[in-house]
């Protein structure tokens, strides 16, 4: 896989649908797992949540490079800016220490049983150091993830700065404090502490966004610039649009399982006028559910490298009335690739008509920038339409209403 190009303009994402899904997701773990659920169905790769996080960190590392370039390349330059404060404390000891307070010492008796004095102790600002330690450790983790596979960096190398950070985090000055995720108040303190600390603040601000609750901001910053991840995000957004469309028309989809985590079966159940429809997310599990083998798998079983089960991206099916809507998502600027969605949607519709349904409709959804208007071709197995996400909402519900008759 190629490294993401964070400067390349990206195609639009149906954020309305993405927000619908994010309402029930608790943090970046759910986001990465949801993306992995889409990507792991790729015939040529098997993604895990951790692999999605590594891929997202390739984008994050590129975004951090500008701050890294401005950082010191020697550990001693870092140590020189660590804030140190002096604190005077009163001590009593059997032997003289520091500056003796003779009046206080005389009160203990004479000759003195103990000497009372003052000592000066040097302490570091723990809040700033805790934030620095967190920033350095997080930056090094992001770098290691970004370098997990071939990273073709277009920006000037920052190896010296990273090596200095690697040495700095092992120093006792940082090891003596706990790593602490900086909040906005600490970020402000960092900015007021000097030029190099302002760079730390900029870097910490970038890194801490991944730990925040705003999944939309995280998706825009770290997912959209990567084509593979953006394609999966588009898929999630289209699925979310189906949910919002159903809910807007008064239906109440009931969640049956999370979209990720290895669960199988339909993701939602939709009741309408005594009918039960099942909404599938990555519908490959349909064939085992029916105790059948997909025709494609049977057709390729005699090859030296047989094919694996292929599944519609999204499918809404009524098992009793044997009707279904199928959606294939195509996120690309390649017109030929988008057109290939026709043969895929037609194949899914044909296979479903073979043993599962008697009536069906298929949609191929592509980014708005690649679709001028909704268009439909009628076939023997059912209509196949190309549309953008904003056109899908009305077309999908119209087709659903027709199938419910």
């Amino acid at each position: 896989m190629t490294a993401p190009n964070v400067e390349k303009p990206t195609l639009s994402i149906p954020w309305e649908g993405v927000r619908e899904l994010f309402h029930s997701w608790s943090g970046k773990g759910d986001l990465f797992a949801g993306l992995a659920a889409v990507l792991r169905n790729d015939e040529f790769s098997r993604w895990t949540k951790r692999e999605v996080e590594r891929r997202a960190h390739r984008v994050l590392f590129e975004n951090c490079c500008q701050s890294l370039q401005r950082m010191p390349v020697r550990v001693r330059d870092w140590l020189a800016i660590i804030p140190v404060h002096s604190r005077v404390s009163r001590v009593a000891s059997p032997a003289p220490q520091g500056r003796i307070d003779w009046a206080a010492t005389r009160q203990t008796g004479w000759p003195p049983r103990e000497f009372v004095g003052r000592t000066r102790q040097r302490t570091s600002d723990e809040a700033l150091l805790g934030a620095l330690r967190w920033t350095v450790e997080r930056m090094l983790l992001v770098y290691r993830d970004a370098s997990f596979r071939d990273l073709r960096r277009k920006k000037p190398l920052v190896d010296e700065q990273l090596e200095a950070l690697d040495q700095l985090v092992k120093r006792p000055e940082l090891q003596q404090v706990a790593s602490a995720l900086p909040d906005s108040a600490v970020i402000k303190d960092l900015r007021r502490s000097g030029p190099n600390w302002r760079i730390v603040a900029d870097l910490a601000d970038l890194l801490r966004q991944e730990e925040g609750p705003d999944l939309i901001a995280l998706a825009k910053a770290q997912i959209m610039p990567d084509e593979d991840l953006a394609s999966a995000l588009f898929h999630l957004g289209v699925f979310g649009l189906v949910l919002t469309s159903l809910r807007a028309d008064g239906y109440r989809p009931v969640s049956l399982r999370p979209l990720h985590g290895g669960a199988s079966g339909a993701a939602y159940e939709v009741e309408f006028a005594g009918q039960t429809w099942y909404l599938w997310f990555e519908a490959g599990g349909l064939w085992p559910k029916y105790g059948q083998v997909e025709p494609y798998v049977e057709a390729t079983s005699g090859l030296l490298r047989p094919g694996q089960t292929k599944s519609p991206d999204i499918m809404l099916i009524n098992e009793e009335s044997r009707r279904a809507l199928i959606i294939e998502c195509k996120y690309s600027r390649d017109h030929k690739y988008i057109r290939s969605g026709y043969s895929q949607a037609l194949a899914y519709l044909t296979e479903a008509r073979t043993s599962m349904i008697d009536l069906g409709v298929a949609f191929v959804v592509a980014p708005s920038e690649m679709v001028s208007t909704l268009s439909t071709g009628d076939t023997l197995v059912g209509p196949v339409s190309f549309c953008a996400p904003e056109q899908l909402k009305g077309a999908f519900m119209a087709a659903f209403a027709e199938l419910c008759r």
Side-chain angles (χ1 to χ4, degrees):
M1 295 180 181
T2 58
N5 183 353
V6 298
E7 297 176 353
K8 181 179 179 180
T10 53
L11 296 166
S12 60
I13 299 289
W15 292 111
E16 178 186 355
V18 173
R19 288 189 181 91
E20 179 68 28
L21 294 182
F22 285 2
H23 286 159
S24 60
W25 290 4
S26 59
K28 68 174 183 179
D30 282 340
L31 171 58
F32 293 154
L35 293 167
V38 178
L39 293 163
R40 74 165 58 99
N41 287 283
D42 186 336
E43 186 174 355
F44 303 102
S45 62
R46 293 294 179 266
W47 292 68
T48 65
K49 180 174 73 172
R50 183 71 179 103
E51 286 170 333
V52 173
E53 182 178 31
R54 286 195 184 107
R55 186 64 175 245
H57 282 170
R58 296 170 75 175
V59 177
L60 180 56
F61 177 75
E62 293 284 352
N63 292 337
C64 291
C65 276
Q66 185 174 0
S67 294
L68 284 171
Q69 291 165 26
R70 297 155 50 207
M71 285 188 162
V73 298
R74 297 177 300 184
V75 176
R76 65 172 178 266
D77 294 331
W78 278 110
L79 297 178
I81 66 168
I82 289 180
V84 177
H85 306 287
S86 294
R87 184 179 64 187
V88 176
S89 58
R90 190 169 183 262
V91 296
S93 61
Q97 286 189 24
R99 185 176 179 181
I100 302 300
D101 183 343
W102 291 109
T105 298
R106 179 68 181 81
Q107 294 177 5
T108 67
W110 198 264
R113 293 191 299 271
E114 60 182 7
F115 293 86
V116 179
R118 297 177 181 176
T119 61
R120 185 178 298 275
Q121 296 179 327
R122 291 165 59 84
T123 60
S124 300
D125 188 317
E126 290 192 9
L128 294 188
L129 283 185
L132 175 60
R133 179 175 177 178
W134 180 88
T135 303
V136 173
E137 289 177 342
R138 191 67 186 171
M139 185 67 256
L140 292 173
L141 170 65
V142 168
Y143 171 66
R144 288 192 295 269
D145 282 356
S147 305
F148 182 68
R149 288 192 173 96
D150 177 37
L151 177 64
R152 302 172 186 176
R153 289 176 289 180
K154 294 185 177 181
K155 298 181 183 297
L157 297 178
V158 288
D159 294 338
E160 290 182 316
Q161 290 89 339
L162 289 165
E163 178 60 30
L165 292 179
D166 190 46
Q167 294 177 28
L168 176 64
V169 78
K170 299 171 185 174
R171 294 280 305 187
E173 289 84 353
L174 264 65
Q175 289 296 311
Q176 69 183 358
V177 298
S179 174
L181 173 66
D183 57 21
S184 57
V186 172
I187 294 290
K188 289 181 181 178
D189 288 342
L190 289 171
R191 296 194 192 283
R192 289 194 292 259
S193 299
N196 283 323
W197 287 101
R198 283 196 290 274
I199 303 173
V200 174
D202 292 341
L203 191 58
D205 220 12
L206 269 175
L207 295 170
R208 75 190 184 113
Q209 289 176 13
E210 191 176 67
E211 307 302 321
D214 190 347
L215 293 181
I216 292 291
L218 174 59
K220 289 181 177 180
Q222 290 181 228
I223 306 303
M224 278 192 68
D226 185 290
E227 289 185 3
D228 288 321
L229 298 186
S231 176
L233 186 65
F234 181 83
H235 182 159
L236 291 173
V238 171
F239 186 79
L241 282 181
V242 172
L243 291 175
T244 58
S245 300
L246 289 168
R247 287 172 178 149
D249 275 27
Y251 305 103
R252 299 185 64 182
V254 177
S255 176
L256 301 178
R257 67 169 180 88
L259 300 187
H260 47 78
S264 61
Y268 286 84
E269 179 181 278
V270 182
E271 295 286 345
F272 172 72
Q275 302 179 31
T276 301
W277 292 75
Y278 293 99
L279 180 60
W280 286 73
F281 178 79
E282 295 293 348
L286 268 172
W287 299 101
K289 181 180 185 299
Y290 280 90
Q292 300 177 18
V293 178
E294 184 193 11
Y296 167 74
V297 173
E298 290 184 318
T300 60
S301 60
L303 301 178
L304 292 178
R305 298 187 64 179
Q308 299 178 359
T309 300
K310 292 184 176 296
S311 61
D313 291 335
I314 300 165
M315 187 173 188
L316 182 62
I317 183 171
N318 186 321
E319 298 172 1
E320 292 184 3
S321 66
R322 294 174 60 86
R323 301 183 177 195
L325 294 93
I326 290 172
I327 298 177
E328 177 66 17
C329 301
K330 289 295 179 187
Y331 184 82
S332 175
R333 290 187 180 276
D334 185 340
H335 295 276
K336 183 178 180 181
Y337 174 74
I338 292 176
R339 289 195 299 269
S340 72
Y342 176 82
S343 58
Q344 286 182 266
L346 187 60
Y348 296 146
L349 195 54
T350 302
E351 288 188 330
R353 286 289 303 269
T354 302
S355 58
M356 293 182 189
I357 63 173
D358 299 322
L359 196 61
V361 176
F363 294 92
V364 180
V365 185
S368 304
E369 295 85 348
M370 307 303 293
V371 181
S372 58
T373 186
L374 184 147
S375 53
T376 303
D378 289 316
T379 77
L380 287 175
V381 292
V384 179
S385 301
F386 279 83
C387 64
E390 58 269 23
Q391 298 158 347
L392 174 68
K393 296 177 65 177
F396 180 87
M397 293 311 301
F400 180 56
E402 186 68 26
L403 291 177
C404 284
R405 291 182 179 178

